[in-house]
């Protein structure tokens, strides 16, 4: 055999090896991406056409599948050697330059052929990618079907069964609503919108191979999960409590759990499914984007939907953090013996810990405990008790006007000073690091508080024209009109025409009840004559100390947020006619969507009330523009969630559209645009259609 025949056999052998190698890759191309073989991973790596038999050796032998390649190559080499087609090493060592040039030319032809084969295999990668995308979309559809089945079980079996029994008076129906939260709205969204759209798309996959556009359109509604997640822990506690308290309640749940549809799983297990669903979407979508080509038309929509779903997960996490914050506040409330009203969603614990207080007279140190919140500092004395109350609040210092200074004391190291309007404290930390941590916590809290107050529009200053303490009794106040409030602005008790009538404090102008106005003080602006004043103004004007117990004997609740305060810093506020039943007359209420709690609608009797009548958590509700009818004027709209319906009627179409613009954002968890009028307009809104006061 001459040299030309030998080189021809070599070329054919190497080409045969590469062909077998690619055939093996094609056969394994339909495997799951999570179980990719070395050959699959290799075909997806960038290939260099300049290489010959070393094309696949640029990675490690373990990752590149070299053991497979080397096996095939060895078999080919062995076959050629047995047939005598390969020359011995000693023969090749004595080739002259002409033969070397011939070999180089032959090898170049082999490389060109290999390169052409590789270019052909590029076309084989596209079907593999499409198959993987189809598999991810199919998994999304299959899991969505299973999830809707689980939601149906929660909403139409467990919740419906317990609600039916509660209608008989066995246990309160409010218990069932509190346990299942907005699961009805979640079930409706997935069964009537998301699942049908996914099923339709998968049936048309050959012509429309994409899912990003569907998710981008429907993903904003996933923000309703924040309400469910926020309620989850309390729902679990309430479920356990009533299963132990009510035999009939427990019997219904046990009966449903024994059915085949439950799969031997408890109600608690099924209720955990919605908590885990949003992260599941996020994971599948990330995997989908990894397999999606950069130039695919569905990429922009898929990325948009991933961003929205990630935000939905963030909203759920925010709800969880708020829930944990309220839990912590409740724990502190119990440690303080219930003496301090701190269980309020607006309160946030910043830092707590033991510290020493330096006495002013003899500089001795005393053990104390601090609770630093975003709006106040509680300075506490420890109580030696293993159960119940552990601390007694000695002083509450407001963050407003607070200053913190680093001090030096030769006898007592690590000291600093906290100065507030109520009291100045010289404190000693346990170490330099502890001192630095406390000072940083105070400084950051003060800075954030000041930033919020710079942008805060105080309605009491613009509308009430509140008299300062320095001017109290020296300048006549503007009286708040009787119909601007429905309750005493001091004790917060509702007015009535018989036992609790309205009175005005001649010093500050507030509307108060007879108990809170049963004081008299001389006012300079009225020739130092004695005038009826409220309790607070009496002690300011006379310089006396209030040693009596609070008149109402009640602690401040979550609803006790002044309407004027939230109205001045709101997305929208104004009067609306409100009702929960269209057969009953509507009530004209002052409605506010505050900026500090953008997902809640506060309902007040009047714009100067110091306590809300009720609140509506907007997240998860459906806002509907009611069609014109005899019972529904054209300016009506309603909020609906499961069986809960709230009807509203605005004064004009323009006002209705402004409310719809704000609420439609809030119900899906988005931040609305501020539509509160400027200061001058705000005063006009507050006094709109109001007669002069007394």
């Amino acid at each position: 055999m001459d040299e030309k025949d030998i080189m021809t056999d070599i070329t054919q052998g190497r080409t045969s090896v590469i062909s077998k190698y690619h055939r093996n890759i094609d056969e394994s191309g339909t495997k799951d991406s999570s179980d990719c073989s070395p050959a699959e991973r290799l075909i997806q790596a960038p290939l260099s056409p300049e290489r010959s038999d070393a094309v696949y050796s640029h990675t490690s032998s373990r990752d590149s599948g070299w053991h497979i390649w080397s096996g095939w190559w060895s078999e080919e080499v062995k076959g050629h050697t047995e047939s005598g087609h390969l020359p011995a090493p000693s023969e090749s060592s004595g080739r002259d330059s002409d033969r070397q040039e011939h070999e180089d030319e032959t090898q170049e032809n082999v490389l060109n052929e290999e390169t052409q084969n590789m270019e052909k295999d590029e076309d084989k990668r596209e079907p593999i990618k499409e198959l993987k995308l189809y598999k991810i979309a199919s998994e999304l559809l299959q899991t969505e079907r299973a999830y809707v089945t689980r939601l149906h079980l929660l909403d139409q079996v467990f919740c419906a069964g317990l609600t039916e029994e509660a209608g008989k008076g066995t246990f309160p129906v409010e218990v069932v609503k509190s346990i299942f939260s907005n699961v009805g709205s979640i079930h409706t969204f997935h069964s009537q919108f998301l699942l049908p759209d996914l099923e339709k798309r998968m049936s048309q996959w050959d012509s429309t191979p994409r899912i990003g556009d569907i998710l981008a359109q429907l993903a904003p509604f996933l923000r309703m999960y924040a309400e469910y997640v926020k309620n989850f822990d309390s729902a679990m506690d309430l479920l356990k409590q009533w299963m132990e308290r009510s035999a009939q309640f427990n019997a219904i749940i046990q009966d449903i759990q024994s059915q085949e549809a439950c799969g031997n799983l408890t109600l608690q297990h099924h209720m955990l499914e919605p908590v885990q669903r949003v992260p599941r979407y996020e994971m599948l979508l990330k995997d989908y984007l990894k397999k999606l080509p950069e130039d695919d038309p569905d990429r922009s929509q898929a990325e948009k939907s991933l961003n929205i779903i990630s935000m939905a997960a963030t909203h759920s996490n925010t709800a969880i953090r708020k829930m944990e914050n309220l839990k912590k506040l409740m724990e502190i409330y119990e440690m303080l013996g219930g003496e301090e009203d701190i269980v309020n969603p607006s309160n946030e614990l910043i830092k707590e810990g033991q510290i020493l207080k330096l006495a002013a007279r003899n500089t001795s140190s005393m053990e104390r405990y601090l609770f630093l919140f975003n709006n106040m500092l509680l300075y506490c004395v420890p109580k030696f008790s293993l159960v119940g109350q552990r601390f007694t609040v000695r002083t509450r210092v407001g963050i407003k006007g607070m200053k913190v200074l680093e001090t030096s004391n030769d006898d007592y190291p690590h000291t600093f000073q906290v100065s507030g309007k109520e009291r100045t404290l010289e404190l000693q930390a346990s170490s330099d690091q502890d001192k630095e941590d406390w000072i940083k916590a105070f400084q950051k809290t003060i800075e954030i508080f000041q930033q919020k107050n710079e942008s805060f529009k105080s309605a009491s200053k613009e509308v009430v024209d509140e008299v300062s303490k320095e001017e109290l009794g020296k300048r006549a106040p503007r009286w708040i009109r009787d119909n601007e409030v429905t309750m005493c602005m001091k004790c917060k008790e509702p007015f009535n025409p018989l036992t609790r009538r309205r009175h005005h404090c001649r010093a500050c102008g507030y509307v108060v009840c007879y108990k809170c106005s049963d004081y008299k003080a001389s006012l300079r602006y009225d020739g130092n004559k004695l005038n009826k004043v409220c309790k607070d103004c009496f002690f300011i004007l006379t310089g006396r100390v209030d040693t009596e117990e609070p008149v109402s004997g009640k602690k401040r609740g979550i609803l006790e947020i002044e309407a004027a305060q939230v109205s001045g810093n709101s997305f929208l506020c104004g009067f609306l006619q409100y009702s929960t039943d269209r057969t009953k007359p509507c009530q004209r209420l002052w409605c506010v969507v505050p900026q500090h709690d953008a997902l809640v609608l506060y309902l007040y009797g009047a714009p100067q009330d110091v306590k809300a009548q009720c609140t509506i958590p907007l997240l998860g509700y459906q806002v509907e523009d009611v069609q014109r009818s005899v019972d529904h004027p054209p300016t009506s709209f309603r909020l609906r969630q499961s069986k809960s319906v709230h009807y509203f009627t605005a004064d004009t179409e323009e006002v209705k559209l402004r409310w719809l613009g704000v609420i439609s954002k809030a119900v899906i968890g988005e931040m609305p645009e501020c539509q509160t009028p400027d200061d001058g307009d705000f005063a006009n809104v507050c006094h709109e259609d109001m007669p002069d006061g007394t």
Side-chain angles (χ1 to χ4, degrees):
M1 181 180 298
D2 57 19
E3 294 176 359
K4 183 176 181 180
D5 293 335
I6 292 175
M7 294 311 302
T8 300
D9 289 346
I10 293 176
T11 302
Q12 293 175 349
R14 295 175 68 180
T15 303
S16 175
V17 171
I18 294 175
S19 299
K20 290 182 179 180
Y21 179 74
H22 289 312
R23 283 199 302 273
N24 187 74
I25 293 174
D26 293 341
E27 292 171 359
S28 60
T30 58
K31 295 180 182 179
D32 187 275
S33 61
S34 60
D35 299 321
C36 284
S37 67
E40 284 179 298
R41 293 196 299 269
L42 182 57
I43 196 173
Q44 296 175 1
L47 303 179
S48 301
E50 291 80 12
R51 302 184 184 180
S52 56
D53 58 330
V55 168
Y56 302 97
S57 63
H58 63 283
T59 56
S60 65
S61 60
R62 183 175 183 178
D63 293 336
S64 63
W66 173 251
H67 59 289
I68 302 173
W69 164 264
S70 60
W72 293 330
W73 179 244
S74 299
E75 291 179 1
E76 293 296 324
V77 171
K78 181 178 179 181
H80 285 290
T81 304
E82 290 176 351
S83 61
H85 291 171
L86 285 179
S90 58
E91 296 175 331
S92 61
S93 60
R95 305 300 182 187
D96 54 21
S97 59
D98 294 337
R99 179 173 178 177
Q100 185 64 44
E101 292 177 2
H102 181 74
E103 288 181 2
D104 292 341
E105 182 180 352
T106 305
Q107 290 179 2
E108 183 178 354
N109 294 334
V110 173
L111 286 174
N112 292 335
E113 185 177 354
E114 291 176 3
T115 302
Q116 294 174 1
N117 292 334
M118 292 175 188
E119 291 175 351
K120 292 179 181 178
D121 287 338
E122 290 287 342
D123 298 333
K124 299 179 181 179
R125 299 185 189 181
E126 295 302 324
I128 295 176
K129 289 182 180 179
E130 292 177 4
L131 182 62
K132 291 179 179 179
L133 292 174
Y134 177 79
K135 184 173 182 180
I136 295 171
S138 297
E139 183 180 355
L140 176 60
L141 176 60
Q142 292 168 7
T143 57
E144 186 68 16
R145 285 172 176 164
Y147 180 54
V148 169
T149 302
R150 186 75 56 87
L151 290 175
H152 178 272
L153 184 65
L154 287 174
D155 183 35
Q156 300 299 318
V157 182
F158 278 107
C159 183
L162 291 171
T163 301
E164 181 180 358
E165 183 64 28
K168 302 176 183 178
T170 311
F171 43 83
V173 68
E174 288 76 14
V175 172
V176 183
K177 291 181 179 179
S178 299
I179 291 175
F180 290 94
S181 185
N182 60 337
V183 71
S185 300
I186 295 175
H187 177 219
T188 300
F189 165 69
H190 286 273
S191 61
Q192 298 183 16
F193 295 94
L194 183 54
L195 179 59
D197 285 1
L198 288 175
E199 289 178 331
K200 182 179 179 180
R201 176 54 51 83
M202 293 307 296
S203 66
Q204 303 171 349
W205 186 263
D206 291 341
S207 60
T208 317
R210 60 176 67 95
I211 58 173
D213 54 339
I214 293 178
L215 295 178
Q217 181 181 3
L218 298 178
F221 293 95
L222 296 179
R223 291 189 177 93
M224 70 175 69
Y225 278 82
E227 185 68 21
Y228 184 89
V229 174
K230 179 181 179 181
N231 184 66
F232 183 75
D233 277 5
S234 60
M236 294 296 100
D237 295 338
L238 198 59
L239 179 61
K240 180 181 178 182
Q241 176 185 345
W242 279 92
M243 287 183 70
E244 296 173 351
R245 178 183 297 183
S246 172
Q248 188 61 26
F249 186 94
N250 182 60
I252 293 175
I253 293 178
Q254 295 295 339
D255 178 62
I256 298 175
Q257 288 179 167
S258 63
Q259 297 176 14
E260 183 179 354
C262 275
N264 296 322
L265 298 176
T266 64
L267 171 58
Q268 291 89 331
H269 183 94
H270 292 294
M271 290 184 67
L272 186 62
E273 186 76 9
V275 179
Q276 302 170 330
R277 186 58 184 168
V278 175
R280 177 71 172 173
Y281 290 130
E282 190 176 15
M283 182 188 69
L284 286 172
L285 200 50
K286 285 181 178 179
D287 195 21
Y288 178 79
L289 280 168
K290 287 181 181 178
K291 306 296 187 298
L292 198 65
E294 291 292 335
D295 57 347
D296 193 281
D298 193 35
R299 188 164 193 88
S300 61
Q301 292 294 318
E303 290 175 343
K304 177 182 176 182
S305 60
L306 177 60
N307 184 47
I308 297 174
I309 291 174
S310 298
M311 289 176 62
T314 301
H315 280 280
S316 296
N317 294 334
T318 302
I320 292 173
R321 286 195 296 271
K322 288 183 177 180
M323 178 179 61
E324 292 174 347
N325 180 58
L326 285 176
K327 277 187 173 183
K328 183 61 179 178
L329 294 178
M330 183 58 72
E331 292 175 3
I332 298 174
Y333 179 81
E334 294 174 354
M335 287 191 290
L336 300 178
E339 295 182 1
E340 295 293 331
D341 176 39
I342 61 169
V343 185
N344 190 309
S346 63
N347 291 343
E348 180 183 355
L349 180 66
I350 305 299
K351 184 175 174 61
E352 66 172 298
Q354 294 180 347
I355 206 159
L356 295 177
K357 162 68 171 61
L358 300 185
R361 295 179 180 177
N362 52 17
T363 65
S364 62
S365 58
M366 299 164 287
E367 184 178 346
R368 295 292 183 262
Y369 201 92
L370 302 182
F371 292 98
L372 176 61
F373 295 89
N374 59 321
N375 57 353
M376 63 181 170
L377 170 69
L378 297 185
Y379 170 70
C380 307
V381 178
K383 293 186 67 174
F384 297 99
S385 175
L386 298 178
V387 293
Q389 184 179 356
R390 294 174 51 194
F391 303 100
T392 300
V393 177
R394 179 66 59 85
T395 304
R396 177 195 288 224
V397 183
I399 299 298
K400 184 177 181 180
M402 178 182 287
K403 297 180 180 179
V404 58
L405 301 173
E406 185 175 356
T407 59
S408 60
N409 191 309
D410 295 336
D411 297 326
Y412 296 91
H414 324 309
T415 60
F416 62 98
Q417 178 180 291
V418 176
S419 177
K421 293 183 177 181
E422 297 80 2
R423 187 170 178 182
T424 297
L425 305 169
E426 189 170 4
L427 306 171
Q428 180 185 8
S430 59
S431 64
D432 280 337
Q433 184 62 48
D434 187 31
K435 170 185 173 180
E436 183 180 349
D437 292 343
W438 273 112
I439 292 178
K440 285 183 178 179
F442 275 106
Q443 290 175 339
K444 184 176 181 180
T445 304
I446 294 171
E447 180 183 356
I448 294 175
F449 185 87
Q450 290 175 343
Q451 290 174 352
K452 289 183 177 179
N453 278 270
E454 286 176 1
S455 59
F456 183 80
K457 299 177 182 178
S458 177
S460 62
K461 292 181 180 179
E462 299 296 338
V463 181
V464 180
D465 192 20
E466 185 178 0
V467 179
S468 65
K469 289 184 179 180
E470 292 76 16
E471 294 180 309
L472 198 66
K474 302 176 184 178
R475 180 167 63 92
R478 188 195 77 83
W479 284 14
I480 296 177
R481 295 168 181 170
D482 287 350
N483 56 358
E484 289 183 47
V485 294
T486 61
M487 62 188 69
C488 175
M489 299 182 72
K490 295 298 179 181
C491 69
K492 306 176 182 63
E493 290 295 328
F495 291 122
N496 63 72
L498 297 178
T499 62
R500 197 175 292 274
R501 300 178 64 186
R502 292 173 169 84
H503 299 269
H504 276 91
C505 171
R506 268 62 174 177
C508 65
Y510 276 26
V511 183
V512 292
C513 66
Y514 76 99
K515 287 185 177 181
C516 295
S517 65
D518 195 18
Y519 300 87
K520 288 187 177 182
S522 59
L523 302 177
R524 186 181 301 181
Y525 80 85
D526 195 25
N528 289 322
K529 293 180 181 179
L530 289 177
N531 281 270
K532 184 185 289 292
V533 296
C534 68
K535 183 179 179 181
D536 292 345
C537 291
F538 173 78
F539 288 111
I540 294 173
L541 292 169
T542 61
R544 300 183 186 182
V545 179
D546 182 10
T547 57
E548 300 179 12
E549 292 295 323
V551 176
S552 65
K554 296 183 178 180
K555 295 179 174 60
R556 189 180 178 191
I558 294 176
L559 296 178
E560 297 184 27
I561 302 176
E562 296 182 11
Q565 179 182 347
V566 296
S567 297
N569 193 27
S570 63
F571 289 106
L572 185 60
C573 62
F575 281 107
L576 292 173
Q577 297 290 339
Y578 169 73
S579 175
T580 56
D581 189 345
R582 297 306 293 178
T583 62
K584 297 180 180 179
C586 294
Q587 182 181 5
R588 186 172 173 83
L589 297 180
W590 180 256
C591 304
V592 185
V593 179
Q595 292 189 16
H596 80 275
D597 200 0
L599 305 184
V600 178
L601 175 64
Y602 285 76
L603 305 180
Y604 294 89
Q608 295 299 325
D609 275 0
V610 292
K611 179 180 179 181
Q613 293 187 4
C614 66
T615 61
I616 302 175
L618 297 174
L619 194 64
Y621 271 88
Q622 295 179 348
V623 57
E624 302 171 350
D625 188 352
V626 180
Q627 298 297 322
R628 184 193 299 265
S629 66
V630 177
D631 297 330
H632 302 288
T635 57
S636 297
F637 63 96
R638 65 190 173 198
L639 294 173
R640 181 188 299 275
Q641 185 184 72
S642 186
K643 298 181 180 180
S644 177
V645 183
H646 303 274
Y647 296 91
F648 297 90
T649 302
D651 292 339
T652 64
E653 282 279 358
E654 180 183 357
V655 174
K656 183 186 82 168
L657 293 176
R658 291 172 63 190
W659 278 104
L660 290 176
V662 171
I663 294 178
S664 61
K665 293 277 189 179
V667 295
I668 60 175
E670 292 185 358
M671 194 65 66
E673 295 181 2
C674 183
Q675 300 193 31
T676 300
D678 58 27
D679 297 340
D681 293 336
F682 177 74
N684 295 332
V685 171
C686 289
H687 297 284
E688 185 181 1
D689 298 329
M690 289 186 178
D692 292 336
T694 57

